[in-house]
Amino acid sequence: MKLLDSIKVRGSSDKRVELYQGDLTDLSEADRFDLLVVSAFPNDYIPTPSSLIGALHRKGLSVESLSLVKDIDLRATFSCWLSMEFTPQDPGLKFRRILCFEPLVRGSPPELVGDIFRALTPILAERTDIKTVAMPVVASGDQGYSVRTMFKPLLEAAVQWLEIGLPLEGIKIVTRTDAGAQEALQVLSEKKSEYLQSAPKTQSQEVDYDVFISYSRNNARESEALEKALREARPNIRIFVDRKALNIGSAWQPEIFETLDRCRKVVALLSPDYLGSKVCKEEFNIAWIRGREADEDVIFPVYLYTTQLPTYMKYRNYFDCREGDKLKIMEASKMLLASIDGV
């Protein structure tokens, strides 16, 4: 592959988003990376001539075969699965895992990109040996979107997630054609100029809220019960409970990041509806990354209703309030206040 240009992401380490032109199935040793992102329709791994899955199949790597024994299966909640680690037989395949992204519903191009990055976070939380990721300019092949339309949100999301601390060293985005490369280069040039002139994202030194309650709209009653218990115990407590719709026109949600960065604790009311909400997963992912970067317990998880929790949501001790037990929600409010006080 040919490196066309890159953006060095601000921070202490040398993280980069790189634009390449070339064939993801015909790589040199210098092109090696850990994880290849491919997209598919649900349970549809037919190796069509123009798809990346088809190109992999022609090199002896069957996505359908990999799907039979998955390492991590998050299709129900994050529309993705991770393959077991493998050793490719073809010398042109220089990666050891694939992440197959297969959403049940295809949204707008930026929404699709946002879903990919929401899916990456729980995978990287569980498989810490994955440090480098590559992906094609998604949806610019068989789905017919222009490279410019898809590369712009991909680049924006990649830069911003790396800057706030997504645990990767780099992201490679690859286009195959000369025309696609020219479109992507123009987008990258514009973004690079804008990025170099913008102020870096830094963790806020001011705390405007003691608690951010992250909840599904369908669990509003339980959220209100928790808020009431907190205010009765501590009338001057500062609680952020605004519920704004996710901006599906953007692959990165700066408003969520900025608000979460000004809160001491993020209460996650975990439930089936929580896992079904894109905005809730976005909030959890940003809070998880913030806690990881600061080495702090930012998230206060409350297990509200029984569901199949991804591992990264239950790696800490959650407060069990199943099934929406009001008395346990009262107890959770006391534990939350104690954690804020550092007890």
Side-chain angles (χ1 to χ4, degrees), residues 11 31 60 150 160 187 206 245 247 268 295 318:
D31 298 325
M150 292 309 306
Q160 300 301 340
V187 171
E206 296 184 6
N247 176 13
D295 195 23
Y318 52 73

Side-chain angles (χ1 to χ4, degrees), residues 176-337:
R176 289 204 62 172
T177 67
D178 291 340
Q182 289 305 311
E183 286 185 61
L185 267 173
Q186 185 178 355
V187 171
L188 191 145
S189 177
E190 294 167 0
K191 174 64 182 177
K192 198 171 185 177
S193 176
E194 173 192 320
Y195 184 69
L196 292 174
Q197 294 177 39
S198 65
K201 284 184 174 60
T202 56
Q203 186 171 343
S204 175
Q205 298 301 309
E206 296 184 6
V207 176
D208 295 334
Y209 302 97
D210 298 302
V211 175
F212 181 112
I213 301 180
S214 176
Y215 70 102
S216 163
R217 289 181 184 273
N218 292 335
N219 301 137
R221 178 173 54 86
E222 293 85 353
S223 173
E224 290 165 2
L226 176 64
E227 182 184 359
K228 180 181 178 182
L230 290 169
R231 293 194 187 281
E232 287 178 350
R234 189 166 298 180
N236 63 343
I237 192 169
R238 300 166 298 174
I239 304 175
F240 187 93
V241 290
D242 191 21
R243 171 53 66 226
K244 295 181 180 178
L246 192 72
N247 176 13
I248 62 172
S250 173
W252 161 250
Q253 308 297 322
E255 300 87 356
I256 294 178
F257 168 79
E258 290 162 8
T259 304
L260 285 170
D261 201 35
R262 303 197 309 272
C263 299
R264 296 178 67 184
K265 289 286 184 182
V266 177
V267 179
L269 299 185
L270 305 174
S271 69
D273 292 311
Y274 191 94
L275 294 181
S277 166
K278 292 183 180 182
V279 67
C280 289
K281 288 182 283 194
E282 193 91 333
E283 289 167 352
F284 192 97
N285 286 351
I286 293 173
W288 179 83
I289 290 172
R290 180 187 150 198
R292 181 183 178 278
E293 286 289 285
D295 195 23
E296 296 177 0
D297 282 330
V298 172
I299 299 174
F300 185 90
V302 174
Y303 199 176
L304 201 58
Y305 289 101
T306 300
T307 188
Q308 189 66 38
L309 291 175
T311 300
Y312 86 131
M313 285 187 175
K314 58 184 179 184
Y315 74 100
R316 63 187 79 231
N317 292 328
Y318 52 73
F319 197 94
D320 196 342
C321 293
R322 291 175 289 175
E323 301 295 325
D325 189 307
K326 292 182 179 179
L327 290 177
K328 289 183 178 179
I329 289 174
M330 292 284 291
E331 293 177 26
S333 71
K334 297 175 184 177
M335 292 291 293
L336 175 58
L337 291 173

Side-chain angles (χ1 to χ4, degrees), residues 46 87 96 143 288:
I46 297 173
T87 302
R96 53 193 176 86
Q143 294 183 52
W288 179 83

